[in-house]
């Protein structure tokens, strides 16, 4: 069973900090061991040479019959057993051992057959030096690791902050805000915003500079490098001056790709919106004439079919025009104080369908009556067209709920909201009614949510803002 880790452990900053810490500890341990071994070998070697030198001097004094100095003697009781055995065997050697509670370097050699002459040299100073070196290595390693962590955390935080910004912009774009941009300063050359209207020298009649007399080359502005306009920074009259940026890194490349994708999507969406608006406007005039012509046809079943299709096409055109106006974002509301209960009843009556209205708690709201009636009318009409009765509209304070008892909304609509010209399950329609309802709700500052009831049926909830 894998252990459950806290959420922060999966972040890039935590992983980078762990990696830096492990690498710094490994490097500090490696360098510390190398320095410790090198200094210890050098210190022990110097103490061993000194002890062996004193052993040589003590051996000469012993053989000459002179008195040995303090710290030297034959078979001293403090001499370690392994060093005594080595000396008795005829070899000379050294060892570090405790003597009277202090570290001592012993040197011993053979004398008089199976006896050992030993010399004790104080090793306290060398031991303190090595201990001090070890403490210095530990402290310096800790400081180096801490400083490296701080610098690494600062560098990684700068990268993660830019990644978080890019992710936030990506979420805004996925939510429909195609104007969102990262605008990373390291994303390469950028173009400045357009500061004025496009003048476009080619929009007027051509002046034909070459039709006049040729100027003197010595005074021609185009040939004089001192006054040649092309000698300075190039300026695009459509987008403004180009802004030079620094070197581009990987995060900047991702940000630039995201901005480019958003700009491409925005351009395609605007082109689609313009196309929809143009088609609706172009169809409106001939449809008006077609509707007038259909009214002049003699009564009969064919005439009813023609009038019905013309009315459906005319409604579709009006819906497209309304969507195009909503897409521009220039709709203005005309606010007035309205009682929500009576307003909902009027909207149901205007829809001309058998819908039950329940007012649990009435409330006064400041809203645009025409737009709110349009939203409620579309929700009721959609419930009758694609669901099954009974259809109930409930007013509970600033919350209005429209519910039917049909098969419910499609999964894509509950997850992502209504989409124009998208329907599922063989239902009739173009998906424009709910799209208009959501757009008008956004204009009113309200929130329109779609869900399916647990026991079956579609539920549309409109939450109005209340002062």
């Amino acid at each position: 069973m894998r252990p459950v880790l806290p959420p922060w452990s999966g972040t890039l900053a935590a992983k980078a900090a762990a990696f830096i810490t492990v690498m710094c500890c490994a490097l500090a341990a490696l360098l510390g061991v190398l320095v410790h071994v090198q200094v210890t070998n050098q210190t022990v070697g110097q103490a061993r040479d000194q002890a062996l030198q004193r052993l040589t001097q003590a051996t000469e004094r012993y053989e000459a019959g002179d008195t040995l100095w303090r710290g030297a003697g034959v078979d001293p009781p403090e001499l370690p057993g392994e060093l005594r055995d080595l000396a008795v065997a005829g070899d000379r050697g050294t060892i570090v051992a405790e003597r009277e509670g202090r570290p001592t370097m012993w040197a011993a050699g053979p004398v008089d057959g199976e006896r050992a002459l030993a010399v004790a040299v104080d090793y306290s100073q060398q031991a303190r030096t090595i201990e001090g070196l070890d403490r210095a290595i530990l402290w310096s390693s800790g400081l180096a690791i801490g400083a490296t962590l701080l610098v690494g955390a600062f560098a990684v935080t700068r990268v993660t902050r830019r990644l978080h910004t890019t992710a936030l912009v990506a979420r805004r774009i996925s939510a429909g805000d195609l104007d969102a941009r990262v605008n990373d300063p390291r994303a390469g050359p950028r173009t400045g915003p357009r500061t004025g209207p496009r003048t476009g020298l080619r929009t007027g009649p051509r002046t034909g500079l070459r039709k006049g007399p040729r100027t003197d080359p010595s005074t021609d502005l185009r040939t004089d490098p001192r006054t040649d306009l092309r000698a300075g920074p190039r300026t695009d009259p459509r987008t403004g001056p180009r802004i030079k940026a620094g070197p581009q890194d990987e995060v900047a490349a991702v940000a630039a790709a995201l901005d480019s994708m958003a700009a491409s999507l925005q351009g395609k969406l605007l082109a689609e919106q313009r196309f929809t608006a143009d088609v609706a406007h172009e169809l409106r005039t001939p449809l008006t004439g077609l509707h007038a012509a259909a009214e002049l046809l003699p009564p009969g079943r064919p005439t009813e079919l023609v009038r019905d299709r013309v009315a459906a096409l005319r409604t579709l055109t009006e819906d497209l025009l309304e969507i195009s106006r909503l897409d521009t974002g220039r709709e203005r509301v005309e606010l007035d104080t309205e009682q929500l209960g009576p307003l909902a009843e009027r909207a149901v009556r205007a829809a001309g369908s058998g819908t039950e209205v329940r007012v649990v708690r009435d409330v006064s709201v400041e809203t645009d009556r025409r737009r709110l009636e349009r939203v409620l009318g579309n929700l009721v009409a959609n419930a009758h067209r694609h669901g099954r009765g009974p259809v109930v509209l409930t007013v509970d304070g600033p919350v209005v709920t429209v519910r039917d008892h049909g098969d419910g909304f499609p999964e894509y609509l509950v997850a992502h909201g209504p989409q124009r010209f998208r329907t599922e399950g063989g239902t009739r329609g173009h998906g424009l009614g709910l799209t208009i309802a959501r757009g008008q709700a956004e204009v009113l500052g309200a929130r329109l949510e779609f869900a399916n009831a647990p026991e079956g049926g579609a539920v549309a909830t409109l939450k109005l803002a209340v002062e």
Side-chain angles (χ1 to χ4, degrees):
M1 183 178 179
R2 297 180 60 184
V4 179
L5 300 177
W8 57 263
S9 61
T11 61
L12 181 61
K15 294 179 180 178
F19 176 77
I20 293 174
T21 302
V22 171
M23 294 302 298
C24 288
C25 289
L27 183 60
L30 178 61
L31 294 178
V33 169
L34 291 177
V35 173
H36 173 82
V37 170
Q38 183 67 25
V39 174
T40 300
N41 290 340
Q42 182 179 359
T43 302
V44 173
Q46 292 176 354
R48 180 181 292 112
D49 293 342
Q50 181 183 2
L52 291 175
Q53 183 180 3
R54 295 191 65 178
L55 177 62
T56 301
Q57 295 174 357
T59 302
E60 293 175 354
R61 291 178 65 86
Y62 179 79
E63 292 176 351
D66 296 337
T67 303
L68 298 177
W69 59 76
R70 180 179 175 82
V74 178
D75 291 334
E78 301 91 349
L79 182 64
E82 57 269 25
L83 184 58
R84 182 190 300 275
D85 295 340
L86 182 65
V88 170
D91 295 325
R92 303 175 70 187
T94 59
I95 191 172
V96 177
E98 291 288 335
R99 181 193 180 199
E100 298 178 356
R102 303 178 65 182
T104 302
M105 174 66 75
W106 287 93
V111 292
D112 294 341
E114 295 183 357
R115 302 181 66 187
L117 176 62
V119 175
V121 179
D122 187 19
Y123 191 72
S124 301
Q125 181 64 35
Q126 290 85 344
R128 286 193 295 269
T129 300
I130 294 176
E131 291 178 359
L133 175 65
D134 292 341
R135 287 193 297 269
I137 291 176
L138 290 176
W139 279 102
S140 60
S141 298
L143 291 176
I145 292 174
T148 305
L149 273 177
L150 291 177
V151 175
F154 174 75
V156 173
T157 301
R158 294 188 62 185
V159 175
T160 55
R161 187 183 299 115
R162 295 167 61 196
L163 289 175
H164 283 309
T165 302
T166 303
L168 178 61
V169 171
R171 284 192 289 269
R172 289 174 56 190
I173 293 173
S174 64
D177 183 9
L178 296 183
D179 290 326
R181 297 291 186 273
V182 181
N183 288 331
D184 195 301
R186 301 185 183 181
R190 297 177 290 122
T191 57
R194 187 182 299 164
T195 57
R198 294 176 59 178
T199 55
L201 294 179
R202 292 187 179 180
T203 58
R206 294 190 177 184
T207 55
L209 295 178
R210 292 189 177 181
K211 293 183 180 179
R214 298 295 297 266
T215 57
D216 188 349
S218 61
T219 60
D220 190 0
L221 291 177
R222 294 176 296 173
T223 58
D224 190 352
R226 294 173 299 176
T227 59
D228 188 6
L229 295 178
R230 291 177 294 178
R234 298 292 299 275
T235 300
D236 191 344
R238 297 172 298 175
T239 59
R242 295 184 66 84
I243 304 173
K244 185 178 181 181
Q248 188 179 51
D249 56 11
E250 289 78 2
V251 180
V254 174
L258 181 63
D259 287 347
S260 177
M261 180 195 69
S264 177
L265 289 176
Q266 188 176 37
K268 293 179 180 179
L269 181 61
L270 291 177
E272 177 187 347
Q273 293 174 355
R274 285 193 297 268
F275 174 77
T276 303
D278 292 344
V279 168
H281 279 289
E282 292 297 328
L283 288 176
R284 192 174 190 180
T285 300
L287 277 176
T288 302
L290 185 60
H291 177 74
E295 293 297 327
L296 299 178
L297 294 176
R301 180 59 180 169
T303 300
E304 293 178 0
L305 293 176
V306 171
R307 290 176 180 175
D308 179 70
R309 292 301 86 198
V310 170
L313 188 57
R314 190 175 185 182
T315 300
L316 174 61
T317 304
E318 295 296 334
D319 288 344
L320 290 175
L321 285 173
E322 185 172 358
I323 288 178
S324 65
R325 289 194 298 268
L326 291 173
D327 287 337
T328 60
R330 298 176 182 177
E331 293 288 288
R332 295 294 180 265
V333 296
E334 299 177 1
L335 297 179
D336 196 5
T337 303
E338 299 283 345
Q339 287 295 124
L340 191 54
L343 188 147
E345 294 175 352
R346 289 196 302 269
V348 170
R349 286 195 301 268
S353 56
T355 302
E356 179 183 357
V357 179
R358 299 176 183 174
V359 180
V360 178
R361 180 169 59 92
D362 199 2
V363 68
S364 297
V365 293
E366 189 175 2
T367 185
D368 188 323
R369 180 180 57 82
R370 181 184 64 84
R371 297 183 187 277
L372 183 54
E373 289 180 351
R374 174 67 161 157
V375 173
L376 298 180
N378 281 17
L379 295 179
V380 170
N382 182 81
H384 283 282
R385 183 179 298 114
H386 302 291
R388 288 191 299 270
V391 177
V392 180
L393 185 149
T394 304
V395 177
D396 188 0
V399 179
V400 181
T401 303
V402 178
R403 180 188 174 184
D404 61 50
H405 292 76
D407 297 329
F409 290 120
E411 294 183 0
Y412 82 89
L413 193 148
V414 176
H416 306 289
Q419 301 177 19
R420 63 191 72 177
F421 299 111
R422 178 175 180 179
T423 57
E424 290 186 359
T427 58
R428 299 176 59 187
H430 306 282
L432 300 182
L434 294 182
T435 303
I436 292 174
R438 186 179 63 173
Q440 294 289 7
E442 292 176 354
V443 173
L444 294 174
R447 186 172 57 182
L448 183 57
E449 300 175 351
F450 302 94
N452 291 323
E455 59 274 14
V459 180
T461 304
L462 178 67
K463 298 179 180 180
L464 298 170
V466 179
E467 295 296 334

